[in-house]
Amino acid sequence: MTQKKHYSVIVIGGGHAGCEAALASARLGADTLLVTMNITTIALMPCNPSIGGPGKGHLVREIGALGGEMAKCIDETCVQMKWLNTSKGPAVRSRRAQADKYLYRQRMINTLFEQENLDVRQGQVTDILVSNNNIEGIKLETGIEFLCERLIITSGTYLNARIILGRESWDGAPQNQKAAIGLSASLEANGIKMRRLQTATPPRVLKSSVDLSILRELPGDIDAGGFTWEDRLRRYEKQISCFLTFTDERSIEAVKRHMSESPLVLANITNEGPKHCPSIDRKLLKFPDMVRHQIFIEPEGWKSQELYLQGLTTGMPPVAQEDIVSSVVGLEKAVILRYGYAIEYDALAPGQFHKTMESRVIKGLYTAGQINGTSGYEEAASQGLIAGINAILSLKGKEPYWPSRTRSYIGVLVDDLSTWSRNEPYRITPGHAEFRLTLRDDSAERRLIEDGYRIGLVSKERYNRVFAWKKRIEEEIESMDNLSLLPSNEAREIMMRTGTGDLKKPASGSELLQRPGMTYKSVIELLHKPIESCLTASDEIYALETDIKYRGYADRENDRIKQTAFLENIRLPFEINDDRIKIIRNESFEIMKTDRYDDLSQMVRMNHFTKSELAVLLSILSGDEPEEFDESEINSK
Amino acid sequence: MSKIKIDTIAALSTPAGRAAISMIRVSGPDTFDILHKVFKTGGKRPFPLHYSAYFGSIVEPETGFVADQVIVNTYLAPKSYTGENLAEISTHGNPVIVSKVLSILFKNGARQAEKGEFTRRAFLNGKMDLIEVEALSQLLYASTNTQARLALNQLDGLPSKFIAKVREELLNQLVQLEASLNFPEDSIESIDESALKNSLQKILSELCVFYENAKNGSLISEGLKIAIVGKPNAGKSSLMNYLLGRDRAIVTDIPGTTRDTLEESLIIDSMPLRLIDTAGIRKAENTIEAIGIERTEKAIDNAFAVLGVFDGSRPSDKEDLAVLEKLKCLDKPVLVIKNKSDLPQQLENDFLSGFNVISVSALKGEGMAKLINSLTDIVKSQGIENLEEMVLLGASQINALDKALTALKRAESGIGNIYQDMLSIDLEEAVRELGRVNGETVDVNTLDMIFERFCIGK
């Protein structure tokens, strides 16, 4: 017991963030230890049995492109795959998978155990060891200590966790597990500030007690493809369905009857819960006139006898849950197997980590997942991946990986998170991404495969395959730009007949494709392009058509991207010696000299500059005369 | 979060030099701490009360030296011009006194205000928006009553309110759209595209009117441009000189003397005009003239109205014809002037037919009253005397308005043809650009608005 075991990287926690962090670290060659309180519940999905959706699905695609595990794991273990928002446009189109929770966990646990350089141990970490503001190791409740160079904490909802069910509450974590006691106090003792957040989950009911035959069935899409590039054209022939039902007056009546037992009314819980996923009692308090709320009934696995009641999240007591559930059409006789509950846990207070996931307080410490104030498996996995990558890059003395919000949803996520100061967990949606035409679901590899390869999580073979695919699409786009159709009688006749308009002068393939109703297929026919030189795969054709058809919008988005990327590249702290800087208010000027933010784009987003100030700042930084800057706006007196 | 304090500024706010009274403004959080040190006032009233006047002396604390007897007007934050604690010190209008009072203020914690800093603080503290700042600037620099009245109209905030209202309406539409885009179809209802189209059409038509009013507004604040064209030596320069009442343009008998465009301001009936004397339309014999002629074309393009000048004392030639042809194809007000009525008339009678011709002698002043009346009529007939509806915007604001309109038109015509995620890009751009018109700097968080309005379950 005298010799303490030493690892390059230790990961605390085996949830979705911890798994990605540990795998990334081990795959990049560092000897890594993952410590979890319970090996059985590694990669647990304690809430909804699904992965993906608008924004979230984008994250999973990007995790796959960068060489992370979640995308592969869900592709292998889903019971349903569905396309969402196809009619609303390419920028918000995304996939959502229903998971087999049990298979997902099993596959992830196997992956961890098969991974070279990676040890997995069960135990509860109670202390971090810090010396001179540098992380040195961890101490377990057994008294065992491990030393490390880098520590990644992914504690989920476990830190000082408290389960709340009506008036009752007790120390505990999801699935009747133990709360993690001690680690929060140790973090605080080392200068890190904590806060309380809460979330909740709905009841699970016995499948055979639900009358699914009278409910609307929601099947998946056979041709939705998977999240990983390799699975992009995969057909999921065998799937199982979800079902849809609605609350009505009876349900609202039942909620009202028990409202006095709601933790929200009892105020025995912090109010800082997820706005995007309100409990049924919160919905009623906030939208009292609304009677019809959707309830999705989701399977938890191929063979699972449990059904998840999406939409009935609550921390109200069991008797209330019985009343509410049985008031819903199809659930009249439903047997509740596990009650819903609310959970309150410790997370970091805002502003304490960089968008690389490294702590601003302790060197060598990284955090990812719910401890950083997010909600969702996909958000957690993304941060775990970035934390793992950056822990290794810094170990090797390399520049950190700064994901840019102009290039990925992961970039949007970590950028938003590092400045997130709201009293609620953060969830990604397309609304957070201002460049979402560029950050399309289908373009994940085109944007990120080089990053993945450069970092080392994408093999040479995989990179070559994806690169060839990318090149094929891009060269065909170029050829669409260069090929042109002359207004021959034949061409004009075809175009008029197919209702795509007359052709008065020569037009390029791209110009033709931009006409309403035109497809790649119809354009190559008009151009008589030899079929062997054309794209045939549906995903490649989709990428080409979307790129060309929306080029005008993408170009305008690009102009804004340039400005944001320029500002992102100016890392803080930053000193300027230029007289014109006086135009900027002192307080903003002083913030630029501190490391409160990672870069200038964050200051702009946090409204530290007026438009005029920004115009002047940009002109100083780019060495130009002020552009679009009207002096009368500020010097009018 | 920041511990950096905003400092306190002071400056002379009335023109420098000798006057009956000079006024020094002090603004910032320490305003009254400083005044407590340097301003001695009698009476029982506590100092400072909001919106009060105090009589007293400015005294140098170290020496007890009395710089002047003054009246101090006090305004407490946020109810002041700058939104900060503010005092206006009225001193006797002697530069020596003013500079002594200022130096006492500086020694006790105030700093010299930079140019425009009071207004900048007002803007930053949300006391004024950009339209009002622009109007204030125009008011201070107005050279005619008309311009001043127009600027005053802006200061009551009506144009700002209009833009804010339109932006709000657009934001509502954007939030509906974004809610649908941010969540899957199974968790939120799809939007009603025809209702969206109707709403955008209504907004567009209102905004177009506003845009016209803004363009008219900038006509007034810059002065209405009137281009004077005619062949060389038709007497354009003499006409301009007469209107201006002095010799500005070089007048000689040699054709082509005016090689460049000359611009002069003139006020007729309280309406600011800018007369632009052009080099004439003729075949250039050298490069300098060619440049001049190019400028003439440009001046005509940019002008609000054009005065065509012809020499009545000579028969028409092909240069006159070129000018006439040019005038015929203009879609702006044109006044045709037959000059040199003091000389024997040789211009063919029917040459100028089709135009309402005013016969004048710029040299002798004959017919000039009629010309001025006709000019006034043109200004009025174009509906730009209705100052109440006019809007004053700076160039960057008009530019933003223009961009907003373009984006909105694209969105409106795109409904039904393009995907909703593209529509939202256009709507978002319109909202953003409208924000630039009245300087709303706070970016709107549509996500928050979605969660306020929609019960999202998935």
Side-chain angles (χ1 to χ4, degrees):
Chain A
M1 273 312 293
T2 46
Q3 187 73 25
K4 290 173 196 165
K5 177 103 177 151
H6 178 278
Y7 286 93
S8 299
V9 175
I10 294 178
V11 179
I12 303 177
H16 304 286
C19 289
E20 294 294 345
L23 286 171
S25 164
R27 286 168 177 169
L28 291 173
D31 52 326
T32 306
L33 171 69
L34 186 151
V35 191
T36 170
M37 287 172 68
N38 188 346
I39 290 176
T40 321
T41 55
I42 280 177
L44 179 74
M45 295 188 192
C47 198
N48 59 322
S50 77
I51 284 182
K56 286 168 171 276
H58 291 81
L59 288 179
V60 182
R61 292 272 299 115
E62 293 173 359
I63 291 171
L66 285 172
E69 194 60 28
M70 177 176 260
K72 258 181 277 180
C73 196
I74 185 62
D75 281 355
E76 296 299 325
T77 59
C78 64
V79 299
Q80 186 193 97
M81 193 63 90
K82 195 171 177 60
W83 266 126
L84 303 169
N85 287 344
T86 45
S87 66
K88 295 178 189 171
V92 291
R93 178 176 136 126
S94 68
R95 276 182 197 79
R96 186 179 60 213
Q98 298 299 139
D100 183 314
K101 286 184 167 182
Y102 303 90
L103 287 182
Y104 186 92
R105 225 162 70 202
Q106 199 51 55
R107 189 190 177 282
M108 190 62 91
I109 291 172
N110 290 343
T111 307
L112 293 176
F113 277 98
E114 284 163 12
Q115 179 61 47
E116 246 182 281
N117 301 329
L118 179 59
D119 290 346
V120 179
R121 295 288 181 272
Q122 184 164 302
Q124 187 186 169
V125 179
T126 52
D127 290 279
I128 56 168
L129 309 176
V130 178
S131 160
N132 292 330
N133 252 20
N134 272 291
I135 203 78
E136 299 240 299
I138 55 169
K139 187 178 167 194
L140 274 56
E141 63 179 343
T142 52
I144 296 172
E145 291 184 2
F146 291 104
L147 300 182
C148 64
E149 310 290 320
R150 301 287 183 271
L151 177 65
I152 303 173
I153 302 182
T154 67
S155 53
T157 59
Y158 287 68
L159 291 186
N160 289 340
R162 198 167 63 99
I163 302 281
I164 296 108
L165 204 56
R167 290 177 192 278
E168 308 297 327
S169 78
W170 58 90
D171 290 344
Q175 313 286 8
N176 263 349
Q177 298 192 81
K178 279 202 303 179
I181 311 292
L183 188 54
S184 271
S186 174
L187 288 171
E188 283 182 315
N190 284 289
I192 288 177
K193 295 185 185 70
M194 307 300 284
R195 62 165 160 171
R196 292 296 267 177
L197 289 176
Q198 64 112 327
T199 187
T201 194
R204 315 299 199 272
V205 295
L206 181 66
K207 192 171 167 186
S208 57
S209 69
V210 178
D211 187 1
L212 295 174
S213 68
I214 58 166
L215 301 180
R216 201 176 128 205
E217 186 175 350
L218 305 169
D221 300 313
I222 289 172
D223 58 358
F227 286 98
T228 15
W229 181 79
E230 286 77 4
D231 284 330
R232 67 199 185 282
L233 298 172
R234 179 170 179 167
R235 289 173 64 81
Y236 288 93
E237 305 283 352
K238 192 172 161 239
Q239 302 195 20
I240 49 180
S241 296
C242 299
F243 292 85
L244 178 64
T245 183
F246 294 91
T247 58
D248 57 24
E249 288 81 3
R250 292 174 304 161
S251 335
I252 300 304
E253 205 35 61
V255 180
K256 273 189 189 155
R257 207 160 53 237
H258 295 284
M259 191 57 101
S260 62
E261 302 289 305
S262 161
L264 295 172
V265 174
L266 293 167
N268 58 349
I269 190 167
T270 163
N271 197 27
E272 309 188 342
K275 205 196 280 178
H276 48 77
C277 192
S279 62
I280 187 71
D281 23 338
R282 192 188 286 269
K283 285 181 195 173
L284 196 75
L285 290 172
K286 198 162 173 204
F287 300 95
D289 299 332
M290 212 173 144
V291 170
R292 203 173 141 88
H293 296 277
Q294 290 177 317
I295 310 293
F296 289 91
I297 302 180
E298 305 177 24
E300 298 224 322
W302 293 108
K303 294 177 183 165
S304 169
Q305 290 308 306
E306 291 181 62
L307 293 174
Y308 175 91
L309 302 181
Q310 155 82 54
L312 280 185
T313 293
T314 189
M316 290 165 90
V319 57
Q321 295 191 28
E322 304 276 0
D323 274 6
I324 295 166
V325 168
S326 65
S327 75
V328 178
V329 175
L331 300 177
E332 289 90 347
K333 294 179 179 152
V335 175
I336 298 181
L337 296 171
R338 309 184 198 221
Y339 290 104
Y341 58 86
I343 183 167
E344 205 184 78
Y345 55 97
D346 284 354
L348 297 181
Q352 295 183 94
F353 54 89
H354 298 278
K355 64 183 187 185
T356 57
M357 304 286 104
E358 185 171 15
S359 169
R360 291 185 188 276
V361 184
I362 298 171
K363 268 202 86 184
L365 174 66
Y366 295 74
T367 50
Q370 276 160 310
I371 188 174
N372 284 349
T374 52
S375 123
Y377 315 140
E378 304 85 345
E379 287 87 343
S382 304
Q383 295 167 65
L385 181 61
I386 297 305
I389 288 170
N390 277 319
I392 302 307
L393 289 176
S394 89
L395 256 184
K396 294 182 179 168
K398 293 188 181 165
E399 263 291 292
Y401 180 53
W402 299 96
S404 163
R405 67 186 298 120
T406 66
R407 296 193 54 218
S408 64
Y409 269 83
I410 293 182
V412 172
L413 170 73
V414 296
D415 195 25
D416 282 349
L417 271 186
S418 66
T419 56
W420 182 252
S421 59
R422 307 264 292 266
N423 293 331
E424 53 170 318
Y426 177 99
R427 171 197 183 171
I428 195 82
T429 72
H432 289 292
E434 51 279 74
F435 311 119
R436 58 193 182 202
L437 195 48
T438 304
L439 308 188
R440 270 160 29 206
D441 172 275
D442 65 284
S443 69
E445 287 80 14
R446 287 162 71 196
R447 289 180 272 122
L448 298 174
I449 198 70
E450 260 112 23
D451 289 3
Y453 177 58
R454 201 164 26 87
I455 289 163
L457 288 174
V458 169
S459 69
K460 179 84 185 157
E461 295 70 39
R462 183 178 196 225
Y463 174 70
N464 285 342
R465 281 194 301 273
V466 176
F467 187 79
W469 164 87
K470 178 179 169 177
K471 205 169 146 212
R472 208 154 54 230
I473 297 168
E474 279 162 11
E475 283 179 354
E476 185 62 3
I477 290 174
E478 211 181 307
S479 103
M480 286 290 108
D481 289 341
N482 294 334
L483 286 172
S484 87
L485 181 66
L486 298 174
S488 68
N489 286 340
E490 184 217 350
R492 293 180 65 178
E493 194 270 323
I494 295 175
M495 292 193 61
M496 296 295 275
R497 182 158 43 81
T498 52
T500 41
D502 196 2
L503 188 68
K504 294 201 173 99
K505 51 181 188 185
S508 73
S510 297
E511 282 162 353
L512 292 171
L513 191 48
Q514 281 162 351
R515 295 190 177 195
M518 281 295 224
T519 62
Y520 174 69
K521 191 164 169 287
S522 56
V523 171
I524 53 175
E525 276 169 13
L526 275 169
L527 290 169
H528 296 296
K529 191 167 189 278
I531 196 76
E532 59 276 11
S533 73
C534 294
L535 300 179
T536 50
S538 60
D539 65 313
E540 295 169 22
I541 293 174
Y542 175 80
L544 172 137
E545 286 182 342
T546 313
D547 267 27
I548 293 179
K549 278 191 180 290
Y550 301 106
R551 191 176 276 169
Y553 285 89
D555 286 349
R556 276 183 291 134
E557 190 166 278
N558 247 327
D559 291 341
R560 290 191 295 128
I561 283 181
K562 276 184 203 142
Q563 193 186 75
T564 300
F566 178 80
L567 290 167
E568 273 183 338
N569 282 327
I570 297 164
R571 308 236 186 269
L572 302 181
F574 184 78
E575 297 266 358
I576 291 185
N577 290 316
D578 188 307
D579 260 3
R580 287 176 293 168
I581 200 77
K582 281 183 191 150
I583 195 89
I584 290 165
R585 282 162 296 167
N586 264 335
E587 75 222 85
S588 303
F589 184 52
E590 292 300 324
I591 292 172
M592 287 172 66
K593 297 188 202 160
T594 70
D595 75 338
R596 177 165 149 203
Y597 295 106
D598 286 331
D599 60 53
L600 216 47
S601 80
Q602 294 189 334
M603 281 190 72
V604 172
R605 207 173 61 249
M606 301 306 282
N607 286 317
H608 285 290
F609 303 111
T610 65
K611 302 270 180 203
S612 315
E613 288 177 324
L614 184 58
V616 175
L617 192 57
L618 280 174
S619 78
I620 294 171
L621 294 171
S622 58
D624 295 337
E625 283 304 300
E627 209 182 311
E628 274 196 39
F629 170 60
D630 188 348
E631 235 196 6
S632 65
E633 282 176 15
I634 47 164
N635 282 344
S636 63
K637 190 101 191 280
Chain B
M1 289 272 249
S2 163
K3 292 195 182 76
I4 310 302
K5 239 177 103 187
I6 295 173
D7 54 4
T8 297
I9 54 175
L12 176 64
S13 284
T14 44
R18 227 164 259 282
I21 287 173
S22 290
M23 197 261 277
I24 292 168
R25 236 183 211 160
V26 189
S27 175
D30 299 332
T31 298
F32 298 117
D33 291 344
I34 295 169
L35 282 178
H36 274 302
K37 283 192 260 176
V38 306
F39 176 59
K40 303 294 167 226
T41 177
K44 295 186 185 93
R45 265 186 317 155
F47 177 87
L49 293 172
H50 177 59
Y51 203 62
S52 295
Y54 298 86
F55 178 75
S57 321
I58 297 290
V59 182
E60 197 168 43
E62 310 87 74
T63 59
F65 173 80
V66 178
D68 193 14
Q69 292 195 315
V70 298
I71 292 173
V72 173
N73 285 298
T74 51
Y75 307 87
L76 302 189
K79 291 181 176 173
S80 72
Y81 173 74
T82 54
E84 302 173 327
N85 282 337
L86 183 135
E88 291 174 347
I89 308 172
S90 299
T91 69
H92 292 100
N94 179 327
V96 181
I97 292 176
V98 168
S99 98
K100 184 68 196 171
V101 172
L102 275 174
S103 80
I104 292 174
L105 290 169
F106 295 154
K107 252 190 259 169
N108 286 280
R111 147 175 92 67
Q112 172 73 52
E114 287 157 29
K115 189 178 171 233
E117 201 171 0
F118 288 104
T119 305
R120 178 154 70 99
R121 287 185 176 202
F123 174 60
L124 295 175
N125 289 325
K127 301 296 288 187
M128 303 174 97
D129 71 11
L130 268 189
I131 292 181
E132 290 162 335
V133 171
E134 177 69 31
L136 184 68
S137 144
Q138 298 276 355
L139 183 62
L140 294 172
Y141 295 115
S143 54
T144 72
N145 281 341
T146 311
Q147 287 171 328
R149 263 173 56 210
L150 177 52
L152 271 176
N153 283 347
Q154 314 299 304
L155 273 175
D156 71 7
L158 276 182
S160 315
K161 281 176 198 145
F162 172 78
I163 289 292
K165 189 194 92 185
V166 169
R167 189 162 174 266
E168 184 70 33
E169 282 172 21
L170 277 180
L171 205 50
N172 271 331
Q173 300 297 336
L174 181 61
V175 168
Q176 303 265 354
L177 194 57
E178 279 292 306
S180 147
L181 291 174
N182 270 276
F183 298 92
E185 47 274 80
D186 54 19
S187 59
I188 193 155
E189 277 178 45
S190 57
I191 63 150
D192 178 351
E193 291 200 340
S194 70
L196 176 62
K197 197 173 176 87
N198 286 340
S199 157
L200 291 193
Q201 280 168 346
K202 183 176 151 281
I203 291 171
L204 258 175
S205 68
E206 287 177 7
L207 212 52
C208 282
V209 172
F210 184 83
Y211 183 60
E212 283 308 310
N213 289 337
K215 286 210 297 197
N216 284 339
S218 65
L219 282 182
I220 297 271
S221 69
E222 289 171 12
L224 298 175
K225 288 182 190 163
I226 313 275
I228 307 180
V229 298
K231 73 174 176 188
N233 220 18
K236 301 189 297 293
S237 301
S238 325
L239 189 75
M240 186 150 163
N241 288 340
Y242 182 89
L243 287 171
L244 294 169
R246 60 196 157 98
D247 291 338
R248 172 63 181 85
I250 312 153
V251 187
T252 67
D253 292 336
I254 312 158
T257 315
T258 308
R259 292 208 184 92
D260 211 338
T261 53
L262 288 174
E263 242 183 86
E264 286 296 338
S265 295
L266 169 71
I267 296 164
I268 292 181
D269 198 19
S270 188
M271 190 63 71
L273 303 182
R274 273 160 73 191
L275 291 182
I276 300 161
D277 188 6
T278 68
I281 303 173
R282 68 198 290 268
K283 206 171 169 311
E285 281 167 8
N286 58 47
T287 347
I288 298 173
E289 272 191 21
I291 293 169
I293 286 160
E294 201 182 301
R295 287 192 184 158
T296 302
E297 295 285 344
K298 213 173 147 196
I300 292 173
D301 282 350
N302 291 335
F304 168 76
V306 178
L307 297 189
V309 184
F310 297 89
D311 185 346
S313 68
R314 292 180 194 200
S316 66
D317 55 19
K318 54 178 199 289
E319 284 179 46
D320 284 322
L321 202 62
V323 174
L324 198 66
E325 289 307 314
K326 180 88 199 161
L327 294 180
K328 276 181 184 163
C329 21
L330 293 178
D331 59 346
K332 51 184 79 184
V334 171
L335 269 187
V336 170
I337 290 145
K338 195 158 78 169
N339 196 11
K340 307 193 185 174
S341 63
D342 51 319
L343 299 176
Q345 298 292 290
Q346 291 191 32
L347 188 70
E348 303 79 2
N349 276 336
D350 58 347
F351 183 69
L352 298 173
S353 64
F355 285 103
N356 187 12
V357 182
I358 305 167
S359 197
V360 304
S361 164
L363 216 58
K364 301 266 173 349
E366 290 166 17
M368 292 306 275
K370 196 176 167 211
L371 170 58
I372 290 170
N373 281 341
S374 303
L375 265 179
T376 317
D377 286 347
I378 283 179
V379 171
K380 285 187 176 155
S381 70
Q382 297 302 308
I384 56 164
E385 48 165 357
N386 197 352
L387 292 174
E388 275 61 40
E389 284 175 7
M390 235 171 257
V391 181
L392 258 187
L393 297 180
S396 67
Q397 292 167 294
I398 290 191
N399 181 266
L401 191 57
D402 198 30
K403 281 188 183 159
L405 270 174
T406 310
L408 264 186
K409 282 178 189 157
R410 208 164 36 219
E412 192 270 330
S413 64
I415 293 174
N417 302 319
I418 59 171
Y419 281 121
Q420 291 171 7
D421 54 358
M422 310 295 159
L423 282 184
S424 89
I425 294 177
D426 286 328
L427 280 191
E428 201 265 337
E429 186 173 331
V431 169
R432 185 157 26 89
E433 293 299 336
L434 283 180
R436 289 181 52 210
V437 175
N438 59 354
E440 299 243 1
T441 51
V442 182
D443 285 326
V444 286
N445 190 334
T446 43
L447 277 178
D448 280 353
M449 297 175 71
I450 291 171
F451 290 120
E452 283 308 312
R453 285 180 216 185
F454 297 91
C455 187
I456 308 284
K458 192 152 191 168

